[in-house]
Amino acid sequence: MLADPSMPEPARRWRERDLAVLWHPCTQMREHPDTLPLVPVERGEGAWLVGYDGRRYLDGVSSWWTNLHGHAEPRIAEAIARQARTLEQVILAGFSHAPAVELAERLLAIAPRQAGRAPLAKVFYADNGSAGVEVALKMAFHWFRNRGEERRTKFVALENGYHGETLGALAVGDIPLYRRIYAPLLAQALFAPSPDAYLAVPGESEEQCALRAADALADLFDRHPGEICALILEPRLQCAGGMRMHHPAYLRRARELCDANGVFLVADEIATGFGRTGTMFACEQAGVAPDLLCLSKGLTGGFLPLAAVLATQVLYDGFLDDSRERAFLHSHSYTGNPLACAAALASLDIFASDGVLERNRATAAAMARRAAALARQRHVADVRQAGMVVAFELCRDGDRGRPFDPALRIGLRAYRAALDRGVLLRPLGDVLYWMPPYCVDAAQLDLLAEATAEAIAEATACA
Ligand SMILES: *Cc1c(COP(=O)(O)O)cnc(C)c1O
């Protein structure tokens, strides 16, 4: 099974050792390595991953949307090394450390703001995105308990949304592939229609589509008075749901509806945060501030796992009491790990010193030019962009009403075809997307576009 004479020796050896002991995430292991290649990576360098096979792969998905400034970025690497020689880890209950404090200060300073609304005021750390989502959900629920509002037990989430894979996070997710099998274990959430602009009916603008979804949200709130504690959503961009984008008008209306119904708004910016959609946070595009903001993925520049949940003073104050049970006792061993906080601080420094958001505007425009050429390809039904994310929806003859038969596995074919051309794309179903590290340059974008065009052609040749 592992015979692959074309693969150089060190790569083949690492692959064999891997498959003998590792169980990979998000993978039907049976497909390795014949249907699904397994690429052992030796090192990273900017937007490149360098394999043990001696080949370079352009990281078109920022290593699962985590990397911001490039792989092995020396300034972040150095900050981690310095911190490791000083203090690698300390319990965050009863003890404190400088990187955790400084990072909290800086996150609160850049968090989305809204006129007339009290700003986000406190930071709670966790160690991955799903855990951050659970923290936010538990906080919202617990806050109402502490007030004696015991009927407020429900969460509202959006159709096609994604918030992670632990049982709590999965309960508010709506991607059948991840959710369906575990449904019997999950807390019951209420799902509101997605504002996804791809679902606009003929003649409807993206804004009208978003407002139609907001009307449905209003109805849902009306049907459950006093029962809902929070609405959780991915502002602007539903990532795992196929890089589906929506008009910011939705978020504005959702904010108003939450306020009118006494419901907390949880913005999951785990994937959209830190400049990915063109602004530091996607909420800014709607001029809206949430009650709880979940951050992870790019928080450390893609170096170390860390999550931060930012909360308002009102939320925080709801836990101050003489009783321990009214406190938020949630804890993870590595809460606020100093190495991860140091990496995050170094990443924020790079935003300032390198003018990252401004440079991204030029890079996003360059991506748009290359994407426009691909839009003319026969099977491309939609091309959409939010800042540093461009997505291509593939359908039969470019007709939205006619998706490919999933059994054809167009996405997987495109994945392999791109890999053959030295580009890591990781389609979501039949949606191909570009989400490169921010340091991607013009020549790399050319390669990305060329490989994508060829991958689309090769993958759809079977259809
Ligand atoms: C990735 C992601 C999560 C989960 O984060 P993990 O660190 O993978 O647990 C939650 N929400 C959104 C929007 C994400 O993209």
Side-chain angles (χ1 to χ4, degrees):
M1 158 179 101
L2 296 174
D4 178 358
S6 67
M7 203 174 199
E9 186 50 38
R12 194 160 60 227
R13 211 165 44 241
W14 277 116
R15 193 176 69 182
E16 274 173 39
R17 286 175 62 180
D18 175 300
L19 291 176
V21 294
L22 280 194
W23 192 342
H24 287 265
C26 209
T27 301
Q28 170 49 267
M29 290 303 294
R30 194 160 187 190
E31 294 181 352
H32 276 320
D34 298 330
T35 308
L36 191 63
L38 181 65
V39 186
V41 171
E42 185 178 9
R43 59 197 170 83
E45 197 182 292
W48 296 107
L49 297 166
V50 184
Y52 279 99
D53 54 6
R55 298 189 58 197
R56 292 158 80 81
Y57 299 89
L58 184 64
D59 188 353
V61 299
S62 293
S63 286
W64 254 345
W65 321 341
T66 59
N67 191 280
L68 300 187
H69 314 294
H71 290 283
E73 212 291 331
R75 289 167 288 183
I76 300 179
E78 183 51 40
I80 294 170
R82 215 180 310 122
Q83 186 60 45
R85 288 190 294 266
T86 312
L87 175 69
E88 80 300 336
Q89 162 70 0
V90 64
I91 181 171
L92 202 65
F95 281 73
S96 178
H97 58 84
V101 175
E102 207 184 324
L103 180 59
E105 289 170 351
R106 289 179 64 180
L107 290 175
L108 293 171
I110 59 170
R113 283 172 188 261
Q114 184 173 356
R117 177 173 294 279
L120 292 163
K122 300 285 176 186
V123 176
F124 191 98
Y125 290 114
D127 46 20
N128 65 74
S130 305
V133 165
E134 305 240 5
V135 163
L137 297 177
K138 285 176 69 178
M139 274 181 180
F141 170 85
H142 196 161
W143 189 89
F144 284 113
R145 287 265 138 168
N146 283 349
R147 299 227 317 179
E149 289 196 49
E150 307 216 333
R151 279 181 62 243
R152 290 216 188 240
T153 58
K154 294 192 166 75
F155 299 113
V156 175
L158 299 191
E159 288 173 359
N160 196 44
Y162 178 86
H163 301 287
E165 313 254 352
T166 55
L167 293 176
L170 212 47
V172 289
D174 184 42
I175 313 281
L177 181 64
Y178 308 131
R179 179 193 168 92
R180 199 187 294 127
I181 191 83
Y182 303 106
L185 304 179
L186 303 179
Q188 291 297 308
L190 302 168
F191 288 93
S194 171
D196 181 358
Y198 189 73
L199 303 178
V201 295
E204 193 178 42
S205 71
E206 294 194 356
E207 183 169 9
Q208 287 164 338
C209 174
L211 293 175
R212 178 164 55 85
D215 287 343
L217 178 65
D219 288 345
L220 187 63
F221 279 173
D222 286 346
R223 286 199 300 279
H224 299 276
E227 296 173 20
I228 299 167
C229 43
L231 165 68
I232 182 165
L233 48 73
E234 297 159 274
R236 185 77 182 88
L237 173 65
Q238 292 187 311
C239 289
M243 297 297 161
R244 295 294 184 84
M245 300 167 190
H246 59 260
H247 193 279
Y250 183 81
L251 196 57
R252 281 193 287 275
R253 281 274 285 146
R255 176 73 272 182
E256 290 164 12
L257 290 168
C258 284
D259 287 341
N261 289 275
V263 168
F264 288 121
L265 175 62
V266 182
D268 179 350
E269 293 230 25
I270 288 167
T272 55
F274 301 100
R276 192 47 81 172
T277 68
T279 45
M280 196 60 168
F281 299 103
C283 283
E284 294 168 34
Q285 295 171 39
V288 156
D291 302 294
L292 289 155
L293 176 67
C294 301
L295 304 174
S296 188
K297 290 204 167 104
L299 171 57
T300 61
F303 273 66
L304 287 166
L306 179 69
V309 179
L310 279 58
T312 58
Q313 189 70 41
V314 166
L315 254 150
Y316 176 82
D317 286 346
F319 291 80
L320 300 179
D321 195 87
D322 293 335
S323 136
R324 269 203 100 200
E325 217 175 86
R326 293 195 183 202
F328 192 63
L329 299 183
H330 188 105
S331 56
H332 295 289
S333 313
Y334 282 95
T335 299
N337 173 256
L339 301 176
C341 291
L345 287 166
S347 173
L348 290 178
D349 285 343
I350 291 173
F351 271 96
S353 63
D354 292 10
V356 169
L357 291 182
E358 196 181 306
R359 193 187 60 207
N360 279 0
R361 277 193 282 278
T363 309
M367 286 163 67
R369 286 193 294 276
R370 286 162 179 81
L374 269 75
R376 292 191 285 274
Q377 225 160 318
R378 180 174 153 212
H379 293 291
V380 175
D382 188 39
V383 178
R384 46 186 181 263
Q385 181 173 19
M388 293 295 290
V389 182
V390 178
F392 306 89
E393 189 100 22
L394 304 187
C395 292
R396 280 185 290 163
D397 300 318
D399 177 353
R400 288 181 183 215
R402 301 204 308 151
F404 285 109
D405 178 354
L408 288 174
R409 304 198 66 183
I410 300 290
L412 175 65
R413 289 169 194 271
Y415 173 79
R416 286 190 306 227
L419 218 49
D420 285 343
R421 291 159 176 84
V423 171
L424 165 52
L425 296 177
R426 200 172 193 281
L428 295 155
D430 294 344
V431 177
L432 271 59
Y433 65 91
W434 299 341
M435 208 197 238
Y438 300 164
C439 61
V440 70
D441 66 24
Q444 290 165 338
L445 286 180
D446 285 339
L447 172 65
L448 189 58
E450 193 181 302
T452 306
E454 291 175 13
I456 293 172
E458 188 175 314
T460 55
C462 67

